[in-house]
Amino acid sequence: MTLTEKILANHSNQSSVEPGDNVWIDVDVLMTHDVCGPPAISIFKNEFGEDARVWDREKLVIIPDHYIFTEDVYANRNVDILRAFAADQDLPHYYDVGTDRYKGVCHIALPEEGFTRPGEVLFGTDSHTCTAGAFGQFATGIGNTDAAFIMGTGKLWVKVPETMRFVFEGDEMPPYLMAKDIILQIIGDIGVDGATYRTMEFGGSGISAMTMEDRMTLTNMVIEAGGKNGVVEPDEKTEEYVRSRTDKDFTPVYSDDDATYHSTYTYELDKMVPMVAKPHSPDNKATAEELEGTKLTRAYIGSCTGGKLSDFQAAAEILKGKTPVIETYVVPATTEIADALRTEKIGDQTLLEIFVEAGCHIGEASCAACLGGPSDTFGRLNGEEICISTTNRNYPGRMGSKQAQVYLASPYTVAASALEGSITDPRNYLS
Amino acid sequence: MDNSSSIIKGKAFVLGKNIDTDQIIPAQHLVYSLNDPEERKYYGSYALSGVPDEESGLPMGHIPLVAEGAFQSEYSIIVAGPNFGCGSSREHAPASLQIAGIKAIIAPTYARIFYRNSVDGGFVIPYESLEDLSAEIKTGDELIINPDIQQVENESQGRSHSIRKLGSVAEIVQSGGIFHYARKEGMV
């Protein structure tokens, strides 16, 4: 069996499962946020009763992150609903807005808070829940009804997916290459429905060379190829990260050598180059080099895909001592990352000092403009902007206005492009 | 309620491929309550408002699903290209289509979370066509979906097309959603 099949077998009390089987599985963690939490809570109450209790208060994690710094009264009411529910159910894992517990983007907060444990099952009311597969967890996005069902029962049905395997050859990442380039290349190769209802499993020597944040960038975007989940086999790096974040026990599982795969794709890291997804689809691929000179009006660095500490380290490496010629937005995914921007240094300057000196607009930890949101959302595209972004989706209207155009790229490429005001291969700026 | 074998009649609203959930219901509108009858109506008025104008209501385009100022559509069946509902996991997407008056969708393939949400929430029935019908059927064509014989009849053009059986989700669709199904099975 593959890693994913093993987790689904373990959690449905079966010795083995096969792709296509429908199984009911036990849930280890359910995560929800301010957009989908309130409707899920409402369905939970309608179906199980006003006074019903959630199946396990230790296993429900609520992380408001989408519409936080807005005047929108409906959006703020949604956070009030989460707060009241967390208080009523006495939930220990609620990360309230306006308190020291506030975290920011759920998919980065989950690992920071120790909820992405190898071998476990995580469901979340957000399509990028698949990010947690980087830790060898089965993690996927669901809707409000399914979340309400889990809140009451701790279970959900899933169809066991076939697994596609992606093997990376090479002992290290080339210095100009980021995980974002790799996943954009893969999505461009297989298409936005190339992995529909399947698992994307990433392996090979190249994966061992990648940091946990690199791996998270890969698994984060499997949904952009239609994947049900993405997964990386746990190793010492995984173990070290998770152990540093939680005392809870976990049992990693690994794919068998004779596991059956739907297909296998092999990539040589040192032959890969900086990639861009053109408007209006994540599979509309081109190399950064091919697009050089394409005019831009905005650069955006943030989100669960491209707002991690290593993403800002990469951007700062290029922006240090220079000034972007277009509006450049910097939005750390979480408050922990925002704090790190104040302490992590390149030379004698902190990352924050580098961004401030470069004239970037610095936002507060949240999803911000990645998905548009209310009209006063920080960095939102409200007109005909042409934006290059480290985020994950560029369908029409994704970052706000449907007249805007979004190019997806790595933090290196976004930073280099910000300096030129047009798409730029970051190798021009990296020695 | 038994949904899966009922005949659905209505006007087609035609869209292209890869219609993602941001086009089905733009994120800025996700703030309204799905429970409150007054607020809920807005999901109907904004359904498919994120689709670029020239791609809304093919082949002509520039046709909104829901007329300006209205909450309900005159169309009741969406015909779309592959990978309908890709993108986010927002259940507001199938919900907004249902609130706008859509009963069923016909597309060759769906993104999995949207498909699941449509079925588990009992919002709209996602029928799979054998072929992409988005170039065959025109917005406004009168359609009859007959699941028993796995056909969609286009009355306006006098043609018929095949659709697939619902397969393993048929029981949930028949029950009207995952909660109805689970109650029937004694699970909750």
Side-chain angles (χ1 to χ4, degrees):
Chain A
M1 285 189 288
T2 65
L3 190 162
T4 296
E5 289 157 12
K6 280 188 185 175
I7 294 177
L8 297 180
N10 290 344
H11 284 73
S12 59
N13 292 316
Q14 304 193 53
S15 53
S16 70
V17 295
E18 282 182 23
D21 289 354
N22 279 311
V23 293
W24 286 87
I25 56 171
D26 295 320
V27 179
D28 295 306
V29 182
L30 171 66
M31 186 283 302
T32 189
H33 52 48
D34 55 298
V35 170
C36 296
I41 290 166
S42 158
I43 298 168
F44 169 73
K45 288 183 172 178
N46 287 343
E47 296 288 346
F48 294 99
E50 241 349 271
D51 300 323
R53 308 304 288 174
V54 299
W55 97 105
D56 188 335
R57 54 193 278 281
E58 286 291 335
K59 294 182 176 177
L60 177 58
V61 181
I62 302 185
I63 307 178
D65 60 356
H66 274 58
Y67 306 155
I68 305 304
F69 305 103
T70 172
E71 298 293 319
D72 189 292
V73 291
Y74 294 105
N76 288 319
R77 176 195 56 187
N78 284 339
V79 176
D80 294 339
I81 292 171
L82 297 182
R83 185 177 297 129
F85 185 71
D88 180 43
Q89 298 276 336
D90 193 20
L91 299 178
H93 307 303
Y94 174 55
Y95 297 90
D96 202 5
V97 179
T99 72
D100 288 347
R101 286 179 59 75
Y102 176 69
K103 292 293 298 181
V105 180
C106 58
H107 308 300
I108 310 304
L110 282 168
E112 286 178 359
E113 295 295 300
F115 294 109
T116 55
R117 297 176 290 259
E120 291 195 354
V121 167
L122 163 73
F123 285 105
T125 60
D126 192 289
S127 62
H128 292 107
T129 303
C130 51
T131 311
F135 298 86
Q137 190 175 37
F138 175 83
T140 191
I142 53 170
N144 313 331
T145 299
D146 284 350
F149 193 91
I150 296 172
M151 280 184 195
T153 66
K155 289 180 187 296
L156 193 62
W157 71 273
V158 294
K159 185 158 118 184
V160 178
E162 293 182 290
T163 297
M164 301 169 81
R165 187 164 164 84
F166 295 84
V167 179
F168 304 117
E169 291 179 347
D171 296 326
E172 58 181 4
M173 290 277 273
Y176 57 84
L177 192 72
M178 298 193 73
K180 182 67 172 286
D181 299 310
I182 298 172
I183 193 66
L184 287 176
Q185 175 76 52
I186 291 174
I187 296 165
D189 289 348
I190 67 174
V192 285
D193 55 359
T196 297
Y197 232 110
R198 301 198 193 106
T199 300
M200 295 171 74
E201 179 180 298
F202 302 99
S205 57
I207 272 285
S208 310
M210 290 184 205
T211 65
M212 290 314 298
E213 290 196 356
D214 292 337
R215 298 175 192 183
M216 287 164 70
T217 306
L218 296 179
T219 51
N220 173 271
M221 285 191 73
V222 303
I223 184 64
E224 265 53 75
K228 185 190 192 87
N229 67 317
V231 80
V232 177
E233 285 195 331
D235 61 8
E236 312 80 63
K237 285 179 186 169
T238 320
E239 195 107 348
E240 190 187 321
Y241 184 106
V242 180
R243 295 270 177 232
S244 73
R245 300 288 179 158
T246 180
D247 297 329
K248 275 203 78 173
D249 252 358
F250 53 87
T251 312
V253 296
Y254 308 92
S255 291
D256 292 326
D257 290 338
D258 63 353
T260 306
Y261 290 97
H262 168 273
S263 48
T264 301
Y265 294 77
T266 303
Y267 290 89
E268 291 175 57
L269 291 182
D270 61 7
K271 297 221 167 77
M272 302 189 82
V273 297
M275 295 298 295
V276 176
K278 297 178 283 181
H280 297 282
S281 186
D283 64 358
N284 196 8
K285 72 174 173 186
T287 64
E289 193 176 12
E290 285 167 346
L291 296 179
E292 279 210 333
T294 305
K295 285 283 172 226
L296 301 166
T297 63
R298 181 173 298 190
Y300 186 95
I301 307 165
S303 83
C304 55
T305 312
K308 304 181 293 305
L309 181 57
S310 55
D311 297 314
F312 295 111
Q313 283 165 326
E317 196 183 321
I318 287 183
L319 293 177
K320 185 172 161 54
K322 301 193 179 72
T323 310
V325 296
I326 53 177
E327 301 278 340
T328 299
Y329 288 77
V330 166
V331 187
T334 63
T335 50
E336 182 174 317
I337 296 166
D339 290 344
L341 296 185
R342 293 190 182 84
T343 53
E344 287 290 317
K345 288 184 173 182
I346 296 179
D348 57 353
Q349 275 187 308
T350 66
L351 301 183
L352 186 64
E353 285 165 350
I354 293 169
F355 294 131
V356 168
E357 192 178 287
C360 300
H361 305 281
I362 319 283
E364 294 185 83
S366 64
C367 298
C370 171
L371 76 162
S375 56
D376 62 349
T377 300
F378 182 80
R380 188 180 192 274
L381 308 185
N382 290 323
E384 297 184 352
E385 292 89 348
I386 307 167
C387 180
I388 190 160
S389 176
T390 66
T391 55
N392 43 57
R393 244 170 234 157
N394 61 345
Y395 294 110
R398 168 67 178 178
M399 293 183 73
S401 162
K402 60 182 177 182
Q403 276 75 45
Q405 299 178 54
V406 177
Y407 290 85
L408 304 175
S410 79
Y412 272 152
T413 303
V414 170
S417 302
L419 295 177
E420 300 276 346
S422 58
I423 295 177
T424 302
D425 189 321
R427 286 174 288 188
N428 300 340
Y429 282 90
L430 295 163
S431 44
Chain B
M1 118 179 102
D2 185 341
N3 276 327
S4 72
S5 60
S6 22
I7 287 176
I8 296 172
K9 292 177 74 162
K11 278 189 186 175
F13 189 82
V14 184
L15 296 163
K17 65 178 181 177
N18 299 330
I19 298 297
D20 82 307
T21 55
D22 277 287
Q23 295 179 72
I24 298 172
I25 181 74
Q28 74 210 74
H29 304 307
L30 302 179
V31 294
Y32 302 114
S33 166
L34 280 160
N35 217 18
D36 180 281
E38 279 307 305
E39 281 183 42
R40 181 182 162 81
K41 291 194 301 193
Y42 289 106
Y43 285 104
S45 57
Y46 294 125
L48 291 179
S49 63
V51 177
D53 297 346
E54 58 278 13
E55 290 158 40
S56 182
L58 297 175
M60 301 290 285
H62 301 279
I63 304 170
L65 176 72
V66 180
E68 181 135 5
F71 295 99
Q72 283 252 317
S73 178
E74 61 177 295
Y75 305 96
S76 49
I77 299 170
I78 287 175
V79 175
N83 203 28
F84 189 81
C86 58
S88 89
S89 66
R90 66 189 68 155
E91 191 165 301
H92 312 66
S96 70
L97 295 177
Q98 182 196 39
I99 295 166
I102 298 299
K103 306 281 184 238
I105 307 169
I106 303 170
T109 56
Y110 294 86
R112 56 160 287 276
I113 309 179
F114 178 88
Y115 184 87
R116 207 187 151 98
N117 287 344
S118 299
V119 168
D120 280 2
F123 299 110
V124 288
I125 306 180
Y127 286 111
E128 290 176 326
S129 50
L130 265 53
E131 288 161 6
D132 181 354
L133 302 177
S134 61
E136 305 270 338
I137 296 173
K138 295 180 168 52
T139 295
D141 282 0
E142 294 285 349
L143 304 184
I144 304 172
I145 302 175
N146 188 339
D148 286 340
I149 56 169
Q150 293 154 53
Q151 288 223 320
V152 52
E153 190 189 331
N154 186 335
E155 284 198 305
S156 306
Q157 295 189 27
R159 301 175 69 173
S160 282
H161 307 278
S162 297
I163 54 172
R164 292 184 201 281
K165 280 189 178 172
L166 284 170
S168 58
V169 301
E171 283 187 84
I172 301 176
V173 171
Q174 264 160 28
S175 308
I178 191 176
F179 278 101
H180 297 286
Y181 171 77
R183 291 221 161 79
K184 213 168 74 183
E185 297 289 308
M187 296 182 60
V188 293

